[in-house]
Amino acid sequence: MKHTLPEVLAPAGSPECLTAAVRCGAAAVYLGVEEFNARRNAHNFTIDSLSEAVAYCHARGVAVHLTLNTLLREEEIDRAVEVAVKAAACGVDALIVQDVGLCRRLKAVMPEMTLHASTQLTCHTPEGVKFLRDAGFSRVVLAREMSREEIAACANLGVELEVFVHGALCMSVSGQCYFSAMLGSRSGNRGACAQPCRLPFEPTSGKPRPCPADKAALSLKDNCLVAYIRELSELGVASFKIEGRMKRPEYVAAATAVYAAAVRGEAVSQAELERLKSVFSRSGFTDGYYTSNRDGEMFGVRRHEDVTAAAPVLKELARTYDKEVPRVGIALALTINETESRLVLTDEDGHTVTVCGEGGVAATNRPLDPERAKEQLSKTGGTPYYATDATCAIGEGLTAPMAVINGLRRQAIEELTAQRSAVTAVACDITAKPQALPCRMPQKTKTVARLATAAQWSAEMAADTVILPLSTDGEALNKIAAHTQVGVEIPRGMFGQEEPIRRKLAQAKAAGATFALCGNVGALPLAKEAGLAAVGGFGLNLTNKEALAFYAERGLEAATLSMELTFGQMRGLTPSPLPVGVMVYGHQPLMLTRNCPRKCAGASCGDCRHQGITDRTGTAFPVMCEGGCAEVLNSVPLWWGDKAAEIPDVDFHLFHFTVEDASRCAAVLAAYQQGGKPPAAITRGLYKRGVE
């Protein structure tokens, strides 16, 4: 399929949305089947209806990307591979994947299948892009929070870039939100997010109190980058993605039409933008991430007036996709002689069809006028095709009924459509497996204390290993390294910070650090480059052995398992290709954001971790700010000190210290050793109840 312009990639959460996207100018659509996609509550498609959808799209020159973009448990990998193989048999053009374990399997089963790295992989740095490129992805869907400069730094690295240009913005960086999972067992990483961030939150001030309903400290306006399409194209972005698989077809139609026009270089009128805003917005639109204007103006909620604004434009928008739109150019060449009529039809992608019918007859009055025949031949209305050229060669003195010409054209178009819809097979061996890696059972369990600041450390701390922030100065790091093994934590939010991180890693190694905790795909290459052992953090979302093997092959030396696994599911991951650990204590991170929710709501950012934000029940959530990002933490700590026997056998227990002071950190570690009574307010996390 020829696409000389950047791709407008539209959401297709239902068959009607797919039709709206195609007829309003999308070059590609993305959709999900019933399983393993990040919008499980969308209409979605079955494998049977997927085949029909792909045929419909391909006939019209539109690519189809299938979302298989959720985390997979160990017992789900085989089924996900089966779904991918069936989708390939339907002719999908690419698979959008989050789980690197699935990526590893698919590279063995279908090495030629095109894979796109989902935005859920949290890629936002050049090193991250190169890492995913080298892992076999042909396209990377960048994080939504990136500025124009950060996107530019990721371009021209030998892999396509896809950027979200319109639609809903999560407060959290994609792939790094555990809010819905922790509060209600509905995992955003598995397509079941309950969107708790759209509920009222406000900065805590003094004693926490129930938050008023009109506060929106975690709810962002919808993204709108239509004004920057030319600039993004010049940066080298290959695909402009519109969010909205849960939205109605009128929204898909409006957004697709606006961005398709912008890609063609046409001016988008204010009236068109207002219509787009009317069909869906949250207090308007924002371009704050792209322009680096990350302030309170980015925040908004779905107001009553936003809802009522849609009604007047829905019928108008529905008319924009109620009829077939010609999308594919064809050349028609008709020859009529005494023995046969022959029509050769060639499309812009090089497909050719030849059909034949009865020959011409001697004209009793006037022979058939070639110009009239060309005019009749070019009438392709009601089909996906338009005539770019038509030629007619008619034998001298001959004529033919218009019905013959119409019949030839109709037959040729039917055959062309079948040819364009035919599936191009991808070589597949569902029995193929990646190379098996040696697996090992857990050894003696180590105690690892992750600190938010060096001031939390004390000589009384009963920890085998200490992890300090990368920002820790060399003197403090060196002092602690004299007492115990020390590593540093590379921030999960690395936006525009690769060079400073490189320098700090070199300084940390010189001061005595031996490893780096990596919670992002872009962190692992930096750790290895600095000569530090790379240890995976919870942000890598490791939920199956294939994912562990994926990172083991790329130099990871140990890994923290996902907080969304149950203890039972963790036990199923041993023996493992890597030493593995589990977080056993801490105010667990609920979301990583690029906006401090206190600062953007007008409060001070100075003491976020002791003030934080408050929800409608009066529950306060601490906030940690560092390196241009903020971490919203759970209101109460995870605690298993009194039930240590239930924790699976793993190589290390991770204590994730955040708001505690030094004496509290030491006391927690001592309490776990002694198995004493837990504090009054705790959570057991998801280790028993699990997630959807």
Side-chain angles (χ1 to χ4, degrees):
M1 291 175 226
K2 293 182 179 178
H3 296 304
T4 56
L5 297 172
E7 173 186 273
V8 174
L9 177 59
S14 69
E16 191 176 0
C17 287
L18 183 141
T19 300
V22 171
R23 291 182 176 177
C24 290
V29 297
Y30 64 103
L31 48 81
V33 289
E34 294 164 329
E35 301 174 89
F36 311 125
N37 84 87
R39 291 293 182 269
R40 279 163 45 187
N41 293 326
H43 182 283
N44 291 315
F45 291 77
T46 64
I47 289 295
D48 288 340
S49 62
L50 175 64
S51 182
E52 297 171 7
V54 173
Y56 174 85
C57 288
H58 283 183
R60 291 153 181 80
V62 176
V64 178
H65 304 167
L66 182 75
T67 57
L68 286 174
N69 57 343
T70 60
L71 295 181
L72 301 171
R73 297 172 184 144
E74 183 68 13
E75 69 274 13
E76 294 173 330
I77 286 276
D78 287 345
R79 173 59 185 160
V81 171
E82 290 177 12
V83 171
V85 168
K86 289 178 180 178
C90 293
V92 298
D93 299 279
L95 302 175
I96 305 172
V97 174
Q98 174 188 12
D99 196 299
V100 294
L102 179 60
C103 168
R104 186 172 188 264
R105 281 288 298 277
L106 292 178
K107 280 297 175 184
V109 171
M110 296 185 291
E112 301 304 315
M113 188 68 208
T114 300
L115 300 183
H116 295 173
S118 169
T119 190
Q120 296 285 114
L121 275 163
T122 322
C123 184
H124 55 272
T125 62
E127 286 298 330
V129 169
K130 289 188 282 187
F131 178 86
L132 293 172
R133 174 200 67 195
D134 295 344
F137 289 100
S138 63
R139 177 183 292 186
V140 174
V141 188
L142 293 176
R144 291 169 169 89
E145 296 76 15
M146 295 172 68
S147 69
R148 58 163 64 88
E149 293 79 13
E150 291 156 359
I151 293 170
C154 291
N156 304 310
L157 295 177
V159 63
E160 291 182 348
L161 297 183
E162 183 174 300
V163 170
F164 277 90
V165 293
H166 195 88
L169 287 172
C170 298
M171 181 66 174
S172 176
V173 177
S174 292
Q176 301 302 310
C177 187
Y178 310 95
F179 216 143
S180 177
M182 292 295 178
L183 271 61
S185 292
R186 292 178 57 182
S187 170
N189 279 315
R190 289 176 57 80
C193 181
Q195 296 189 316
C197 55
R198 299 298 181 187
L199 297 171
F201 288 87
E202 69 173 349
T204 307
S205 180
K207 185 177 180 181
R209 63 182 179 84
C211 172
D214 62 343
K215 302 298 182 181
L218 297 181
S219 182
L220 294 170
K221 295 176 181 176
D222 280 19
N223 190 31
C224 182
L225 300 185
V226 69
Y228 309 103
I229 290 301
R230 180 174 179 179
E231 183 174 83
L232 283 162
S233 179
E234 291 172 349
L235 290 179
V237 175
S239 179
F240 301 133
K241 190 169 196 171
I242 298 166
E243 182 279 336
R245 281 197 290 135
M246 299 289 288
K247 302 284 199 334
R248 59 192 306 151
E250 293 89 348
Y251 164 88
V252 174
T256 303
V258 163
Y259 282 89
V263 164
R264 293 191 299 267
E266 300 170 11
V268 177
S269 69
Q270 189 59 38
E272 288 172 303
L273 287 176
E274 288 300 322
R275 186 172 68 170
L276 181 55
K277 188 184 296 183
S278 295
V279 74
F280 194 93
S281 79
R282 291 181 173 88
S283 311
F285 294 142
T286 181
D287 59 9
Y289 284 133
Y290 184 75
T291 59
S292 299
N293 293 317
R294 299 186 295 274
D295 55 25
E297 291 300 311
M298 290 188 67
F299 290 73
V301 295
R302 186 86 167 131
R303 306 165 302 180
H304 175 70
E305 51 265 46
D306 296 325
V307 176
T308 57
V313 301
L314 293 180
K315 286 186 178 180
E316 176 188 352
L317 287 168
R319 287 194 293 270
T320 65
Y321 61 88
D322 64 353
K323 295 179 181 178
E324 185 70 76
V325 175
R327 295 187 47 120
V328 180
I330 55 174
L332 305 99
L334 175 66
T335 303
I336 298 177
N337 57 37
E338 292 179 348
T339 58
E340 70 172 6
S341 300
R342 178 187 297 264
L343 175 61
V344 178
L345 193 156
T346 305
D347 72 13
E348 58 193 24
D349 295 311
H351 299 100
T352 299
V353 168
T354 301
V355 295
C356 299
E358 61 188 60
V361 296
T364 55
N365 294 315
R366 289 189 302 172
L368 179 60
D369 180 7
E371 290 302 316
R372 185 180 174 217
K374 282 173 57 176
E375 181 181 350
Q376 190 68 23
L377 199 60
S378 301
K379 291 180 178 180
T380 58
T383 77
Y385 309 102
Y386 61 92
T388 58
D389 185 45
T391 59
C392 294
I394 302 171
E396 185 175 356
L398 297 179
T399 188
M402 290 297 112
V404 170
I405 296 175
N406 292 341
L408 289 172
R409 184 190 62 235
R410 184 167 50 251
Q411 182 184 350
I413 284 177
E414 287 175 358
E415 293 187 16
L416 176 64
T417 299
Q419 193 177 126
R420 292 179 62 85
S421 303
V423 174
T424 301
V426 175
C428 172
D429 179 3
I430 198 164
T431 65
K433 297 287 176 67
Q435 180 180 356
L437 298 185
C439 289
R440 53 184 295 288
M441 294 301 294
Q443 309 301 307
K444 181 181 177 182
T445 304
K446 291 185 176 181
T447 297
V448 179
R450 177 270 186 195
L451 308 181
T453 169
Q456 292 173 309
W457 181 81
S458 67
E460 294 73 36
M461 188 175 280
D464 300 302
T465 302
V466 170
I467 302 173
L468 296 168
L470 185 57
S471 58
T472 304
D473 68 73
E475 183 178 347
L477 197 155
N478 188 261
K479 174 185 174 182
I480 298 172
H483 290 80
T484 187
Q485 183 186 33
V486 170
V488 289
E489 180 178 17
I490 300 175
R492 284 187 295 143
M494 301 165 58
F495 297 91
Q497 297 296 307
E498 275 193 350
E499 290 312 310
I501 286 172
R502 277 192 168 94
R503 293 193 296 270
K504 291 174 183 175
L505 285 170
Q507 293 164 3
K509 188 174 190 301
T514 60
F515 69 93
L517 187 66
C518 305
N520 180 273
V521 292
L524 192 153
L526 294 177
K528 291 173 61 181
E529 179 186 305
L532 295 169
V535 176
F538 68 85
L540 293 183
N541 294 321
L542 300 172
T543 58
N544 56 71
K545 285 186 182 180
E546 290 286 6
L548 291 167
F550 173 94
Y551 281 111
E553 290 170 334
R554 288 159 180 82
L556 205 65
E557 297 192 19
T560 312
L561 296 176
S562 167
M563 298 183 292
E564 296 189 358
L565 291 173
T566 65
F567 282 159
Q569 289 160 351
M570 291 180 187
R571 291 187 184 95
L573 301 185
T574 56
S576 167
L578 283 174
V580 295
V582 57
M583 187 186 296
V584 297
Y585 169 83
H587 288 265
Q588 293 164 287
L590 299 183
M591 57 167 58
L592 176 72
T593 84
R594 208 174 177 190
N595 306 66
C596 170
R598 285 181 56 79
K599 182 179 179 181
C600 289
S604 169
C605 186
D607 191 26
C608 284
R609 65 179 182 159
H610 294 124
Q611 290 292 313
I613 56 174
T614 303
D615 71 4
R616 68 197 191 285
T617 70
T619 302
F621 298 85
V623 176
M624 303 284 288
C625 291
E626 184 180 6
C629 288
E631 195 100 67
V632 179
L633 307 176
N634 205 355
S635 57
V636 294
L638 176 71
W639 189 278
W640 282 91
D642 58 324
K643 294 180 178 290
E646 297 185 30
I647 302 172
D649 289 335
V650 290
D651 294 277
F652 62 90
H653 290 169
L654 179 66
F655 291 76
H656 190 86
F657 293 113
T658 51
V659 300
E660 301 85 355
D661 60 18
S663 62
R664 180 59 183 160
C665 291
V668 167
L669 289 165
Y672 267 66
Q673 283 188 331
Q674 298 158 10
K677 187 178 179 181
I682 64 165
T683 177
R684 301 295 186 183
L686 297 165
Y687 297 155
K688 286 291 186 182
R689 55 191 169 101
V691 296
E692 290 183 33

